[in-house]
């Protein structure tokens, strides 16, 4: 084990290992808390509550991409702090405007009895009309500030926010349930409050007066980083839509029980993903951005080695999860979730690939190859839509529909691995030839 650690330090650098450890401690603690919440809440809330929460978060992820305009990835490009802060202010202004627009639209819909909230979120009432805009703005603030702070190298603060976010979610959800005794919105209230607390904390730590943003700054950001808006945002948007499709369409086509089972399975398989991806994502951005700027001759080698270690660790995790889930999950979740292990096993191959690719996909933004990745996302979205809709048209059940969705996701993740290695090698080769 010691030899392996020494070898890993030589490959990615000792700073990378230290930063990974700092982030990892926070992620481990936060995910252990989330792991404790699952058996507790699975005995309080039924499948319909998790279906509604999954639908809410899926729509939130889609709108979040529009609110951030793909510019958070651009923050890794400039070397000057003042330029990064310009991007940050533009993103915050955009998120604020979109959140206010959504708030006004949903409230008008409720007052006119158009039932827009019921149609979108499967929940009626004024409360959801307030929760969604607040969650959008808070989530955007969280993400953009975490990206900025990761570039500054303050991984201790990021680690602390992970723990605080999990604590806030669990406590808020439990309080909301005990006050209202409702199963439909308590989980969503917990998510929204946790986002808001972290957003306020980061606002206090890293003060940026975004209200004084000047028009010429907005213009300069849009002109300099228009490639991110034209390609990164559509890439991220299509990926968010295609990832959100199962929950949204399963809820629409097959009902809350199937959608709730899938949503719970996602929560379970996402825990090991979060242990690895969430702890390393910010560190990857920092490491790859610096390697690209200062020593491109090592870019391909660093990328390849990190991917190899990520996939190896992922293989061990999901092999044991696949084998042990039929025995552990029914006891872990309770009697009402006895069939969930089948969905967990089904998701294992997809999430195995996801661990190796997701953190490294930032490469397309760093080397400005968003256009190439954009076309891959187009075909991914197309085939995912076909997998779900054709399954429904031909009368397949919800589980078979998810099987087809996962097959498409695995194939395109294999292709994504090839693209990451291909373009990182191309950058390195070009740099060596120039020298």
């Amino acid at each position: 084990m010691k030899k392996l650690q020494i070898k890993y330090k030589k490959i990615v650098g000792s700073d990378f290992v230290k930063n990974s450890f700092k982030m990892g401690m926070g992620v481990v603690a936060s995910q252990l808390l989330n792991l404790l919440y699952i058996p507790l809440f699975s005995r309080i809330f039924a499948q319909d509550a998790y279906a509604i929460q999954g639908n809410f978060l899926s729509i939130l992820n889609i709108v979040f991409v529009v609110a951030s305009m793909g510019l958070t990835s651009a923050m890794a490009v400039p070397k000057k702090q003042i330029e990064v802060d310009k991007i940050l202010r533009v993103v915050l202004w955009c998120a604020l405007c979109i959140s206010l627009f959504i708030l006004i639209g949903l409230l008008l819909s409720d007052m006119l009895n158009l039932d827009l909230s019921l149609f979108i979120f499967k929940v009626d009432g004024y409360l959801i009309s307030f929760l969604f805009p607040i969650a959008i703005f808070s989530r955007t603030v969280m993400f953009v500030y975490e990206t900025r702070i990761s570039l500054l190298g303050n991984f201790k603060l990021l680690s602390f926010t992970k723990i605080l976010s999990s604590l806030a979610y669990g406590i808020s959800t439990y309080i909301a349930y005990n006050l209202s005794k409702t199963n439909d919105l308590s989980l969503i209230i917990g998510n929204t409050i946790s986002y808001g607390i972290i957003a306020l904390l980061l606002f206090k730590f890293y003060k940026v007066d975004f209200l004084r943003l000047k028009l010429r700054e907005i213009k300069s950001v849009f002109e300099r980083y228009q490639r991110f808006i034209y390609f990164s945002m559509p890439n991220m948007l299509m990926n968010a839509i295609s990832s959100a499709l199962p929950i949204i369409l399963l809820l629409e086509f097959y009902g809350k029980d199937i959608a709730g089972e899938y949503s719970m399975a996602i929560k379970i398989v996402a825990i090991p993903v979060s242990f690895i991806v969430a702890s390393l994502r910010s560190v990857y951005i920092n490491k790859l951005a610096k390697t690209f700027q200062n020593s491109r001759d090592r870019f391909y080698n660093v990328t390849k080695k990190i991917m190899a270690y990520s996939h190896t660790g992922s293989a061990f995790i999901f092999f044991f999860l696949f084998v042990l889930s039929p025995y552990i999950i029914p006891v872990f979740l309770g009697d009402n979730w006895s069939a969930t292990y089948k969905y967990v096993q089904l998701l294992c191959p997809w999430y195995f690939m996801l661990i190796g690719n997701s953190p490294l996909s930032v490469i397309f933004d760093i080397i400005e190859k968003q256009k190439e990745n954009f076309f891959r996302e187009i075909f991914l979205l197309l085939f995912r839509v076909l997998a779900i809709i054709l399954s429904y048209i031909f009368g397949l059940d919800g589980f078979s529909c998810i099987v087809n969705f996962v097959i498409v996701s695995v194939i395109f993740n294999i292709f994504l691995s090839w693209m990451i290695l291909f373009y990182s090698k191309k950058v390195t080769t070009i740099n060596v030839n120039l020298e």
Side-chain angles (χ1 to χ4, degrees), residues 13 18 23 42 45 105 114 167 223 241 257 314 320 366:
K18 291 178 182 178
M23 278 298 298
S42 67
F45 304 106
L114 297 178
L167 282 172
E223 288 178 350
I241 293 172
D257 287 345
S314 177
F320 286 107
I366 293 175

Side-chain angles (χ1 to χ4, degrees), residues 56 159 223 383 389:
F56 178 89
S159 181
E223 288 178 350
F383 279 92
I389 293 180

Side-chain angles (χ1 to χ4, degrees), residues 16 18 72 99 112 141 143 240 269 316 354 367-368 378 393:
F16 183 91
K18 291 178 182 178
T72 51
S99 300
L112 297 174
V141 170
F143 192 83
V269 297
F316 281 107
L354 192 65
I367 66 176
E368 299 192 45
I378 291 176
I393 291 175

Side-chain angles (χ1 to χ4, degrees), residues 213-313:
L213 183 67
K214 299 177 182 178
L215 288 177
R216 67 171 181 269
E217 290 183 344
I218 298 176
K219 184 179 179 180
S220 66
V221 168
F222 282 134
E223 288 178 350
R224 169 64 182 86
Y225 304 103
Q226 57 182 296
R227 189 178 182 87
F228 289 86
I229 300 173
Y230 293 153
F231 295 108
S232 288
M233 185 176 72
N235 285 346
M236 295 167 65
L237 183 60
M238 284 189 294
N239 185 266
I241 293 172
S242 60
S243 298
L245 279 176
I247 288 290
I248 296 173
L249 296 184
L250 284 172
L251 186 59
E252 188 68 31
F253 294 157
Y254 297 100
K256 293 181 179 179
D257 287 345
I258 295 294
E261 292 280 4
Y262 178 82
S263 181
M264 177 60 79
I266 287 288
K267 284 182 176 293
I268 293 173
V269 297
I271 289 176
V273 173
S274 298
F275 272 111
I276 299 175
V277 176
S279 61
L280 296 180
R281 180 190 175 276
S282 299
V283 184
Y284 280 168
I285 293 175
N286 183 281
K287 177 67 178 180
L288 292 172
K290 288 182 178 180
T291 304
F292 180 75
Q293 293 168 357
N294 303 320
S295 53
R296 295 189 190 181
D297 57 307
R298 298 179 57 247
F299 196 74
Y300 172 68
N301 187 53
V302 169
T303 302
K304 182 175 66 174
K305 295 295 184 180
I306 290 175
M307 181 179 287
Y309 276 93
S310 297
H311 277 99
T312 302

Side-chain angles (χ1 to χ4, degrees), residues 90-324:
V90 169
V91 174
L92 292 182
W93 254 109
C94 181
L96 180 61
C97 293
I98 289 176
S99 300
L100 290 175
F101 178 79
I102 292 173
L103 176 63
I104 294 170
L106 290 176
L107 291 177
L108 285 175
S109 172
D110 292 333
M111 288 187 290
L112 297 174
N113 295 320
L114 297 178
D115 294 329
L116 187 60
S117 297
L118 181 62
F119 175 74
I120 297 174
F121 304 109
K122 310 304 178 186
V123 178
D124 199 7
Y126 285 100
L127 183 55
I128 193 70
S129 300
F130 283 101
L131 290 174
F132 188 75
I134 293 172
I136 281 294
F137 183 68
S138 300
R139 170 80 187 281
T140 307
V141 170
M142 277 180 57
F143 192 83
V144 70
Y145 269 80
E146 285 177 354
T147 302
R148 181 69 186 99
I149 294 169
S150 68
L151 293 172
L152 293 173
N154 193 343
F155 298 103
K156 287 184 178 180
L157 177 62
L158 293 180
S159 181
F160 173 73
T161 60
K162 299 294 182 185
I163 300 172
L164 183 59
S165 178
S166 294
L167 282 172
Y169 168 72
I171 295 172
S172 302
T173 300
Y174 193 73
I175 291 175
Y177 170 75
N178 280 280
L179 290 177
S180 62
K181 296 297 182 182
T182 177
N183 286 345
D184 52 2
L185 288 178
S186 297
L187 292 168
I188 294 174
I189 290 172
N191 287 124
T192 305
I193 291 178
S194 67
Y195 295 153
I197 289 175
I198 301 305
L200 290 173
L201 173 66
L202 294 176
F203 259 135
K204 184 176 181 180
F205 171 79
Y206 190 75
K207 296 180 180 179
V208 175
D209 192 359
F210 73 96
L211 295 176
R212 294 185 179 181
L213 183 67
K214 299 177 182 178
L215 288 177
R216 67 171 181 269
E217 290 183 344
I218 298 176
K219 184 179 179 180
S220 66
V221 168
F222 282 134
E223 288 178 350
R224 169 64 182 86
Y225 304 103
Q226 57 182 296
R227 189 178 182 87
F228 289 86
I229 300 173
Y230 293 153
F231 295 108
S232 288
M233 185 176 72
N235 285 346
M236 295 167 65
L237 183 60
M238 284 189 294
N239 185 266
I241 293 172
S242 60
S243 298
L245 279 176
I247 288 290
I248 296 173
L249 296 184
L250 284 172
L251 186 59
E252 188 68 31
F253 294 157
Y254 297 100
K256 293 181 179 179
D257 287 345
I258 295 294
E261 292 280 4
Y262 178 82
S263 181
M264 177 60 79
I266 287 288
K267 284 182 176 293
I268 293 173
V269 297
I271 289 176
V273 173
S274 298
F275 272 111
I276 299 175
V277 176
S279 61
L280 296 180
R281 180 190 175 276
S282 299
V283 184
Y284 280 168
I285 293 175
N286 183 281
K287 177 67 178 180
L288 292 172
K290 288 182 178 180
T291 304
F292 180 75
Q293 293 168 357
N294 303 320
S295 53
R296 295 189 190 181
D297 57 307
R298 298 179 57 247
F299 196 74
Y300 172 68
N301 187 53
V302 169
T303 302
K304 182 175 66 174
K305 295 295 184 180
I306 290 175
M307 181 179 287
Y309 276 93
S310 297
H311 277 99
T312 302
S314 177
F316 281 107
I317 292 171
F318 284 103
F319 172 77
F320 286 107
L321 184 61
F322 183 89
V323 172
L324 298 177

